[in-house]
Amino acid sequence: MKTTRTLFILIQLVISTIAVAQTSPLRVTYNFNPGWKLYVGDANGADAAAFDDSSWKNITLPHAWNEDDAFKKSIEDLPTGISWYRKHFTLPVKDQEKKIFLEFEGVRQAGEFYLNGKFLGRHENGVMAFGFDISDFVHTDGQENVLAVRIDNAWDYKEKATNSVYQWSDKNFNANYGGIAKNVRLHITGKLYQTLPLYSFLKTTGVYIYAKDFKIPAKTATIVAESEIKNENKAAKRVQYEVEIKDLTGKTIKSFSGEPQNINPGETKNITASSVVTNLNFWSWGYGYLYSVTTRLKIDGQIADELTTKTGFRKAEFKNGMVYLNDRVLMMKGYAQRTSNEWPAIGLSVPAWLSDYSNKLMVESNANLVRWMHITPWKQDIESCDRVGLIQSMQAGDAEKDVEGVRWEQRKQVMRDAIIYNRNNPSILFYESGNESISAAHMQEMKDIRNQYDPNGMRAIGSREMLDIKEAEYGGEMLYVNKSATKPLWSMEYSRDEALRKYWDEFSPPFHKNGAGPLYKGADASDYNRNQDSQAIEDVIRWNEYYTERPGTGTRVSSGGVNIIFSDSNTHHRGEESYRRSGEVDAMRIPKDGYYAHQVMWDGWVEPKKTGIHLIGHWNYARGTKKNVYVVSTGDKVELLLNNKSLGYGKKSNGFLFTFTGITWQSGTLKAVSYTSAGKKLAETTLKTAGKPAALRLTAIKNPAGFKADGADVALVQVEVVDAAGNRCPTALNPVKFDLTGPAEWRGGIAQGPDNYILATELPVECGVNRVLVRSTTTAGKINLSASSAGLKAADISFQTLPVSVNAGLSTEFPSTGLKSNLERGATPAGSSYTVSRKAVKVTGATAGANAGDAVLSYDDNELSDWHNDGKFSTAWIKYDLEKPATVSEVSLKLNGFRTKIYPIQILVDDKVVFSGKSVPGLGYFTVKCKPVKGKTLTIKLVEQEVKKDNVEIGTEVNGKKLDDGVTFQNSNAKGALSIIEAEIYEKP
């Protein structure tokens, strides 16, 4: 009897244990990157589980099969073809009767997926994430599973169902890194679970977390969590939904619950909970404050599923022609970056810390925005921007212009998937529906997708060339200035000239005269063969045209723009090399002088700090050299001193540039000092002459969480040529030979020369510096790297890689594990970010010498409309009626032919001349300083009988299209033609 009772107790204990196990947290997510096999070619029968892949190459994802050619070959020559990826893994018996999902961040271009010989599906768009429910195909009884993927990365791959190519598989901008070049995860859940945000195949939308009812000064908001849940049990479940929010330190700051819900068998339902949360740290520019939001499903008080989402909370508004972040106006300043964001000999498949390193460099240049071009970035870059505090404009997928039919549906599908997948990432403020104009109807379709899947994310949706499309919530153009009083307009690309970092100027080895290089398609390509001096100066000239029209300068303002590109890219190029060199840093992220120019001009939300200063170039020249010295500064005046002797004050131009002409070089110290107009010192910077090259110096830039022996982590090693005192020698071009020992793989660097020195173990420094990449293997241990060069003292450096736990092909350590948020800029400052420098005077009506009915078009806040006369000199005038008598201080004009035409004009206030002169061609607006005359009308008229043309020819875009130069109108070439797109009249505030 005693034995029977003991047995009964044991049985009850087992039953109780099983019950607890079934209602305890059932969800686990694995890093599925380790332990893959790669074969380049089409292997017959490789879909079968029993296929022998023992001779295939062992790799860790992410890994493009053609990575060796990244930057070695021009984009159109990157290898294509079939590749196979296979992975062996085992799941324990405890995972029986559970839901099991695969998540791919993306493949290039199209993948066919097989598990244990059974076909799972085909994903073809080459851009977005997708997932598979493998619950019915996977072994959970200890048997080995084999996942096989056949990938075709042909440029002209056609979607099987439609026979249509994908518009974004383009040889201009979308570098073709084939295979599984992004991360993969495995998810295991119970049968009552929160879905994944993977619409392709799974048709699920996951968790959506957002904030509303912000009170920024009080640091409070209402946080809403919404989970899509599925019940795949055979019985209904009554579910309690709980939410827990933890801050960056791991401290719980709020827990709250929703109302209990009944979920029927097979039912999918959205459940929500919300609460006011106090003492919040709002995500901001350069302040990547993130929270961990855990959403739980409970049954009878026991946890059935829980999922943690990293997100941040910020308020965004788009109004008055401006962008507001946390109630403060932010002028957009940043880069249009190729979405591949690639590195030599690796492509886009870098470890997460290197994504942080690259993206944080943008923030450190004082950029606040990255516009990913043409296609959606991979999740790793999106999460990286969350951490570093960099705002993102997220594309869907396109090439140029609008499309119809299948290609439009493909674009919509990518936008839908991308919004669902990325709507919890606070750094995304803009959804971009096309690289160029789309119709109003198509813009509304994209807006409807946003409204369906992200109605509360406070993200504007728009596109380029949306000036007259009311459905768009932001817009902007390429290579010229727009302004608006309503939706924000920021330039999608405002400078795309190219310069190799190797070229300081024409006075330094290798003595590159600005613009020297081959023609591009038979045309002059000097703008794409600049040197560093020239590129930095051009950066200043271009940015100043946007800055001049910044918030605070009137009712209609520019919201800024992005420079194309941030880092040199393995994409379409026009300069002498086989890759794009428009970057403000090179492909190894070594800054060019333009980087520091931006750092000076952009150090503020709208108006920069007055202490910014940078001396362009270096101070190592041959005796007798005489050259111009340039300083970028936010001061009112700049003094130059050589060995403590003043060389006077520079000539200020373009807002931030100070030029000192014909400075004769002397060895020593060159110093630039900036002042206020009253003579108060603001800042100083120096350049010193380095001595003769004496030694090499190696410096490691590594994963802050430790160099991981996972087969995918890398160390970035900088090599410098230095003098006896340790100063970098800025004109050194010495070849350096590297020797690598230990459990590591050489990936090398890049330099000008044969095959761009990709994977070469000997390559030169350029401007005294270069960098190389070393990749870990899956064996932990000591790695040694030595560097030598003839006549220089050698250098060496050692690393210790850390073991990474992988069990049966699965790991719980992820590429981003241990990476921390960048909080260096601090929270959003209080107060206004700009001062009002001029106030717009409202125009109530206008008369004109001809076409008077169209006069309103010259002040209607539509930059696609204009007023023009009939080409006769006698009618080349327009008179504006002002709302009230005003002392006009400035007039800003967007004249037709703003790039190329010069208009000799007079401006009169109540018939008194306040300006007489010629307009200056530029990127958009010409601003006139007026004599202070008070009046009720303002007249603009031609004073010569022809419009003189500037000598500059209009440039062309990649596709041969002429760059925008205004609005086409009849009689535009007549001698007496006058045409105004926008006229704005100002008085002092």
Side-chain angles (χ1 to χ4, degrees):
M1 191 74 177
K2 185 175 182 181
T3 303
T4 303
R5 180 173 177 77
T6 302
L7 181 61
F8 177 79
I9 292 172
L10 287 172
I11 291 171
Q12 290 299 313
L13 183 60
V14 169
I15 292 171
S16 176
T17 302
I18 292 172
V20 170
Q22 288 176 339
T23 55
S24 63
L26 299 176
R27 190 181 204 107
V28 62
T29 298
Y30 291 108
N31 177 0
F32 209 59
N33 290 338
W36 285 78
K37 296 274 194 173
L38 169 64
Y39 177 79
V40 179
D42 201 354
N44 186 38
D47 56 323
F51 181 85
D52 183 6
D53 56 20
S54 59
S55 64
W56 288 17
K57 182 179 180 180
N58 294 311
I59 61 164
T60 300
L61 299 182
H63 185 102
W65 66 263
N66 57 352
E67 64 172 4
D68 289 0
D69 290 298
F71 283 92
K72 180 179 180 179
K73 295 182 178 178
S74 186
I75 181 172
E76 69 274 13
D77 296 323
L78 289 172
T80 61
I82 305 300
S83 60
W84 280 90
Y85 289 71
R86 283 168 57 93
K87 180 181 173 69
H88 300 250
F89 65 100
T90 305
L91 296 179
V93 175
K94 69 179 181 64
D95 291 330
Q96 288 183 347
E97 301 302 318
K98 293 184 181 178
K99 296 296 299 181
I100 303 173
F101 303 95
L102 279 173
E103 174 191 354
F104 287 83
E105 288 185 355
V107 301
R108 178 68 183 271
Q109 173 72 38
E112 296 173 346
F113 298 80
Y114 303 85
L115 181 60
N116 300 324
K118 296 178 181 178
F119 183 63
L120 295 176
R122 181 187 297 113
H123 193 266
E124 300 173 279
N125 68 38
V127 175
M128 264 312 298
F130 54 94
F132 295 110
D133 182 346
I134 62 172
S135 308
D136 295 334
F137 301 93
V138 69
H139 300 310
T140 53
D141 56 0
Q143 289 187 64
E144 183 179 75
N145 294 283
V146 180
L147 177 66
V149 186
R150 182 184 185 270
I151 297 179
D152 183 351
N153 73 319
W155 283 110
D156 59 352
Y157 178 88
K158 295 181 179 179
E159 186 178 31
K160 299 299 183 186
T162 64
N163 201 37
S164 172
V165 296
Y166 287 92
Q167 59 202 284
W168 48 82
S169 185
D170 189 290
K171 294 180 182 179
N172 284 316
F173 57 79
N174 192 358
N176 196 337
Y177 303 124
I180 310 179
K182 301 176 183 178
N183 297 304
V184 185
R185 284 174 280 272
L186 180 79
H187 303 271
I188 300 175
T189 75
K191 291 195 172 183
L192 176 76
Y193 60 95
Q194 298 168 84
T195 67
L196 295 170
L198 298 170
Y199 198 87
S200 284
F201 298 116
L202 295 181
K203 299 291 188 288
T204 55
T205 57
V207 175
Y208 183 35
I209 296 167
Y210 59 91
K212 63 180 183 179
D213 303 330
F214 287 87
K215 294 181 175 60
I216 299 297
K219 300 182 70 174
T220 68
T222 298
I223 307 302
V224 182
E226 176 183 310
S227 290
E228 181 186 67
I229 63 173
K230 273 192 172 185
N231 180 13
E232 297 198 36
N233 291 288
K234 294 179 180 179
K237 300 292 180 182
R238 186 162 179 80
V239 177
Q240 177 70 54
Y241 186 55
E242 292 186 355
V243 182
E244 181 181 15
I245 304 175
K246 293 183 179 180
D247 65 14
L248 273 179
T249 69
K251 178 184 176 182
T252 298
I253 63 165
K254 190 74 176 184
S255 295
F256 52 94
S257 301
E259 292 296 321
Q261 300 273 338
N262 289 320
I263 313 295
N264 294 320
E267 184 180 10
T268 300
K269 177 181 284 190
N270 287 322
I271 57 176
T272 65
S274 64
S275 176
V276 173
V277 181
T278 60
N279 201 31
L280 284 169
N281 294 293
F282 296 118
W283 188 95
S284 188
W285 168 35
Y287 189 69
Y289 203 98
L290 300 175
Y291 289 89
S292 297
V293 180
T294 300
T295 47
R296 295 191 184 95
L297 309 180
K298 284 187 172 181
I299 299 173
D300 297 329
Q302 299 295 318
I303 297 172
D305 185 48
E306 69 176 17
L307 177 63
T308 298
T309 303
K310 279 273 189 183
T311 190
F313 309 116
R314 82 291 179 275
K315 181 181 179 184
E317 295 177 285
F318 310 90
K319 60 184 182 180
N320 307 324
M322 297 181 284
V323 178
Y324 293 75
L325 179 62
N326 301 329
D327 291 341
R328 199 169 200 254
V329 172
L330 183 64
M331 190 177 188
M332 308 322 298
K333 299 168 288 188
Y335 306 98
Q337 177 75 335
R338 298 302 193 195
T339 302
S340 44
N341 205 11
E342 69 268 59
W343 291 71
I346 290 182
L348 69 84
S349 303
V350 299
W353 79 266
L354 200 57
S355 295
D356 281 13
Y357 176 77
S358 179
N359 295 329
K360 189 185 176 193
L361 279 174
M362 295 193 219
V363 177
E364 290 175 348
S365 76
N366 289 317
N368 55 45
L369 172 66
V370 58
R371 175 196 174 228
W372 302 110
M373 299 182 69
H374 294 281
I375 62 171
T376 300
W378 66 319
K379 191 68 170 182
Q380 180 169 295
D381 261 326
I382 288 177
E383 292 176 338
S384 171
C385 290
D386 287 348
R387 287 190 295 270
V388 305
L390 181 61
I391 296 167
Q392 301 179 76
S393 176
M394 187 199 81
Q395 274 271 16
D398 78 342
E400 300 283 346
K401 294 192 174 180
D402 211 348
V403 289
E404 299 290 341
V406 169
R407 293 192 300 160
W408 176 248
E409 292 304 313
Q410 289 172 339
R411 192 188 295 188
K412 285 169 57 181
Q413 290 163 12
V414 169
M415 178 61 88
R416 174 203 63 205
D417 287 8
I419 288 177
I420 291 169
Y421 197 52
N422 300 313
R423 61 186 177 175
N424 292 319
N425 295 95
S427 52
I428 298 173
L429 257 63
F430 302 97
Y431 291 139
E432 189 169 339
S433 304
N435 188 63
E436 205 171 334
S437 57
I438 62 173
S439 68
H442 279 177
M443 187 66 249
Q444 186 60 52
E445 287 184 51
M446 286 293 194
K447 192 172 181 179
D448 290 343
I449 293 171
R450 190 277 315 269
N451 290 344
Q452 179 177 357
Y453 295 109
D454 186 20
N456 302 299
M458 294 169 289
R459 296 180 174 98
I461 191 160
S463 178
R464 209 173 98 203
E465 297 189 2
M466 292 285 102
L467 305 184
D468 61 343
I469 304 295
K470 62 180 175 50
E471 288 81 3
E473 296 166 342
Y474 77 95
E477 292 301 329
M478 184 177 77
L479 302 174
Y480 70 97
V481 180
N482 304 125
K483 299 200 293 184
S484 172
T486 53
K487 62 188 173 195
L489 301 179
W490 49 268
S491 178
M492 306 297 181
E493 304 172 26
Y494 73 75
S495 181
R496 59 181 180 191
D497 300 2
E498 297 187 44
L500 193 69
R501 186 181 63 80
K502 182 176 181 177
Y503 301 144
W504 282 115
D505 52 40
E506 61 187 279
F507 307 101
S508 310
F511 306 104
H512 180 79
K513 185 176 180 180
N514 186 57
L519 299 176
Y520 173 74
K521 295 185 178 179
D524 173 61
S526 55
D527 286 347
Y528 309 103
N529 287 292
R530 293 185 179 274
N531 55 38
Q532 283 207 56
D533 273 16
S534 171
Q535 186 189 32
I537 291 165
E538 187 66 18
D539 283 338
V540 174
I541 293 170
R542 297 287 185 98
W543 173 250
N544 184 59
E545 292 215 41
Y546 294 88
Y547 178 73
T548 299
E549 310 301 336
R550 66 193 179 275
T553 61
T555 303
R556 301 183 69 250
V557 296
S558 164
S559 248
V562 291
N563 188 351
I564 175 173
I565 49 184
F566 175 64
S567 60
D568 289 354
S569 170
N570 191 187
T571 54
H572 175 263
H573 51 90
R574 299 179 184 183
E576 187 169 4
E577 275 62 54
S578 62
Y579 58 93
R580 186 70 170 264
R581 300 159 305 134
S582 301
E584 303 307 322
V585 300
D586 72 7
M588 303 303 289
R589 277 50 174 185
I590 302 172
K592 306 174 190 178
D593 262 311
Y595 178 91
Y596 300 109
H598 287 112
Q599 203 170 51
V600 170
M601 298 185 294
W602 289 352
D603 191 12
W605 281 59
V606 174
E607 296 165 0
K609 295 178 182 177
K610 298 293 286 182
T611 51
I613 191 168
H614 174 68
L615 254 169
I616 292 178
H618 64 94
W619 201 238
N620 271 65
Y621 291 96
R623 190 176 301 278
T625 300
K626 183 180 284 188
K627 73 179 294 284
N628 291 350
V629 172
Y630 304 97
V631 180
V632 184
S633 173
T634 49
D636 297 316
K637 55 185 180 179
V638 173
E639 183 182 17
L640 192 68
L641 301 96
L642 179 54
N643 296 328
N644 293 319
K645 180 181 177 181
S646 177
L647 303 180
Y649 290 86
K651 181 181 179 181
K652 186 176 183 178
S653 64
N654 299 290
F656 304 96
L657 188 66
F658 295 82
T659 303
F660 300 82
T661 58
I663 302 300
T664 301
W665 178 81
Q666 292 179 22
S667 179
T669 301
L670 188 69
K671 180 190 290 186
V673 184
S674 63
Y675 302 91
T676 65
S677 55
K680 180 183 177 182
K681 181 179 176 180
L682 292 168
E684 67 176 52
T685 188
T686 60
L687 292 172
K688 294 182 179 180
T689 305
K692 294 181 179 180
L696 297 175
R697 179 169 61 206
L698 297 178
T699 308
I701 304 167
K702 297 183 296 182
N703 188 337
F707 192 3
K708 300 176 183 179
D710 60 4
D713 203 0
V714 299
L716 180 63
V717 183
Q718 180 164 289
V719 57
E720 299 169 273
V721 173
V722 297
D723 65 12
N727 302 304
R728 184 189 296 176
C729 300
T731 59
L733 298 167
N734 303 61
V736 179
K737 186 175 185 348
F738 293 91
D739 184 52
L740 178 67
T741 60
E745 180 188 1
W746 177 255
R747 300 313 297 171
I750 189 171
Q752 186 193 40
D755 291 332
N756 299 320
Y757 285 95
I758 300 303
L759 292 175
T761 54
E762 183 172 348
L763 68 160
V765 295
E766 296 178 337
C767 302
V769 61
N770 213 329
R771 289 175 180 170
V772 295
L773 288 161
V774 174
R775 185 156 64 193
S776 70
T777 69
T778 54
T779 301
K782 185 178 181 182
I783 300 165
N784 190 75
L785 179 66
S786 61
S788 60
S789 184
L792 303 177
K793 184 180 178 181
D796 62 77
I797 193 168
S798 294
F799 318 95
Q800 182 71 41
T801 54
L802 306 176
V804 174
S805 177
V806 178
N807 183 22
L810 308 175
S811 176
T812 56
E813 188 171 339
F814 292 86
S816 61
T817 297
L819 298 183
K820 296 182 179 179
S821 287
N822 168 43
L823 305 176
E824 291 175 5
R825 287 195 68 91
T828 303
S832 178
S833 57
Y834 62 88
T835 55
V836 177
S837 59
R838 61 190 188 189
K839 183 179 177 183
V841 180
K842 187 176 180 180
V843 175
T844 58
T847 56
N851 300 322
D854 292 336
V856 67
L857 301 180
S858 68
Y859 60 94
D860 63 350
D861 198 26
N862 181 356
E863 296 193 354
L864 295 179
S865 65
D866 75 314
W867 165 83
H868 54 269
N869 71 335
D870 54 9
K872 299 175 182 178
F873 177 73
S874 60
T875 64
W877 62 270
I878 186 168
K879 178 181 281 190
Y880 297 102
D881 300 319
L882 308 183
E883 184 180 41
K884 61 180 179 60
T887 302
V888 176
S889 59
E890 294 182 26
V891 177
S892 183
L893 298 173
K894 180 168 248 188
L895 298 163
N896 231 332
F898 52 80
R899 290 182 193 278
T900 54
K901 292 186 178 182
I902 296 173
Y903 291 84
I905 59 172
Q906 275 189 350
I907 299 178
L908 303 91
V909 173
D910 282 358
D911 300 322
K912 295 178 182 178
V913 175
V914 296
F915 172 82
S916 184
K918 297 178 179 178
S919 66
V920 178
L923 296 183
Y925 282 86
F926 164 62
T927 299
V928 171
K929 302 284 186 183
C930 298
K931 295 177 184 177
V933 173
K934 190 172 185 176
K936 194 78 172 359
T937 65
L938 184 138
T939 302
I940 301 169
K941 66 178 184 178
L942 275 182
V943 292
E944 292 183 25
Q945 290 199 25
E946 77 179 59
V947 176
K948 295 181 180 179
K949 289 191 176 182
D950 189 24
N951 292 325
V952 178
E953 290 295 323
I954 305 175
T956 58
E957 296 188 39
V958 175
N959 58 9
K961 175 188 171 183
K962 293 283 187 180
L963 293 174
D964 292 288
D965 195 33
V967 181
T968 301
F969 67 98
Q970 193 175 11
N971 300 316
S972 62
N973 292 320
K975 291 183 177 181
L978 176 63
S979 174
I980 300 174
I981 297 170
E982 290 294 327
E984 297 164 7
I985 302 162
Y986 305 101
E987 60 184 346
K988 291 183 178 179

